[in-house]
Amino acid sequence: MSPRARRLALPLVALAISIVALGTATYLALFPRSGGSAVTVGGPFALTAPDGRTVTDATFRGKPFLVFFGFTHCPDVCPTKLFEISEIFRAMGDRGRDVRALFITVDPERDTPEVMKTYGASFDPRILGLTGDRAAIDKVVRDYRAYARKVPLKDGEYTMEHTALVYLMGSDGRFIGAFNVERPPAEAAQDLLRRL
Ligand code: NI
């Protein structure tokens, strides 16, 4: 290797290593190996169900559950994801009667329990729209290492940018991984049923 090539090669190798390291750090932040990392995804929460009842993480222990962040004014991502989850739940049938998906709003100012109830009526009843006060929502977004940001619109209204990841939580309430809803519903349904 010529000296000139060596001068060029070294920074390139260093750059490649730092890109790999950055990718690994991001991956580990979201998908820590069980017990291997101090980073956790999820945790205790207390939120309000569409019927006004308070539900907590303990409410959903004993069965696997999905978690998805969004808001009812979402133009496309949220309704699409909720439709996909509904199809998967339908494919699970009665065997999956106790499996839940928690649709947690990142827009609690507009998404009251009543709004969540009306919105949720279009989807599988095992999808539960949860809201809460700003502090409770901020905490659950933070604990799930999710992302949500208010974006003003020209007409004085606003929209929300948010994480579109569907989280799969085990029956012990711990994060298992990202749940792929973009595969055939029967296949995704089997994935949930085998965790019962
Ligand atoms: Ni959305």
Side-chain angles (χ1 to χ4, degrees):
M1 196 184 275
S2 74
R4 179 178 150 73
R6 200 171 296 138
R7 266 204 315 278
L8 278 173
L10 200 63
L12 281 179
V13 168
L15 182 68
I17 289 171
S18 50
I19 287 170
V20 169
L22 197 66
T24 306
T26 308
Y27 182 86
L28 281 178
L30 261 181
F31 307 108
R33 278 170 297 176
S34 49
S37 170
V39 177
T40 56
V41 175
F45 60 79
L47 296 167
T48 309
D51 63 3
R53 275 182 313 133
T54 297
V55 294
T56 72
D57 50 300
T59 311
F60 305 103
R61 288 284 161 86
K63 294 285 185 291
F65 60 97
L66 303 177
V67 174
F68 177 66
F69 292 93
F71 66 117
T72 64
H73 285 68
C74 183
D76 42 31
V77 175
C78 290
T80 303
K81 285 269 194 280
L82 294 173
F83 175 75
E84 287 165 342
I85 294 171
S86 294
E87 291 292 291
I88 293 164
F89 279 13
R90 199 160 63 141
M92 273 197 314
D94 194 49
R95 274 182 64 208
R97 62 184 169 276
D98 295 328
V99 177
R100 294 286 177 272
L102 313 184
F103 174 55
I104 302 176
T105 184
V106 294
D107 185 17
E109 288 79 14
R110 292 187 294 198
D111 289 340
T112 61
E114 296 73 35
V115 169
M116 296 298 267
K117 185 175 183 175
T118 307
Y119 187 76
S122 306
F123 304 102
D124 190 284
R126 286 165 284 189
I127 301 175
L128 218 49
L130 302 182
T131 188
D133 61 29
R134 180 38 74 187
I137 295 297
D138 285 350
K139 174 180 158 42
V140 69
V141 166
R142 203 168 50 238
D143 287 352
Y144 275 79
R145 297 174 192 281
Y147 165 81
R149 190 172 74 94
K150 195 179 264 197
V151 181
L153 297 174
K154 285 202 184 85
D155 59 6
E157 290 295 305
Y158 63 91
T159 189
M160 301 293 297
E161 280 180 5
H162 65 90
T163 305
L165 188 78
V166 179
Y167 299 75
L168 172 60
M169 311 302 286
S171 46
D172 59 357
R174 289 166 73 129
F175 176 62
I176 294 174
F179 189 73
N180 178 8
V181 296
E182 280 153 24
R183 51 188 155 163
E187 189 187 317
Q190 280 309 314
D191 191 0
L192 283 174
L193 288 172
R194 70 184 173 82
R195 297 173 193 280
L196 282 174

